[in-house]
């Protein structure tokens, strides 16, 4: 697996997290809740 920047648990995405614009408010706010849910699920 490549060591590209990504959010926890999100392996497949239509966003390229290596781009600066991907980390903007509108893009990040829609991806972060899914990553947070994956993280919390992994911690039980």
């Amino acid at each position: 697996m490549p060591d590209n920047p990504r959010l926890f648990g999100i392996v497949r995405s239509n966003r390229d997290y290596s781009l600066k614009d991907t980390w903007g408010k509108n893009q990040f706010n829609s991806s972060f809740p899914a990553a947070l849910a994956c993280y919390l699920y992994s911690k039980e």
Side-chain angles (χ1 to χ4, degrees):
M1 172 180 252
D3 205 14
N4 295 331
R6 63 187 180 102
L7 293 172
F8 187 92
I10 299 179
V11 179
R12 295 186 181 117
S13 176
N14 61 348
R15 295 192 170 110
D16 182 0
Y17 289 107
S18 64
L19 300 175
K20 182 181 176 182
D21 290 339
T22 306
W23 296 96
K25 180 182 176 191
N26 292 334
Q27 292 84 4
F28 185 74
N29 282 350
S30 63
S31 300
F32 179 74
L36 180 60
C38 290
Y39 175 76
L40 292 175
Y41 182 77
S42 76
K43 295 295 182 184
E44 298 180 358

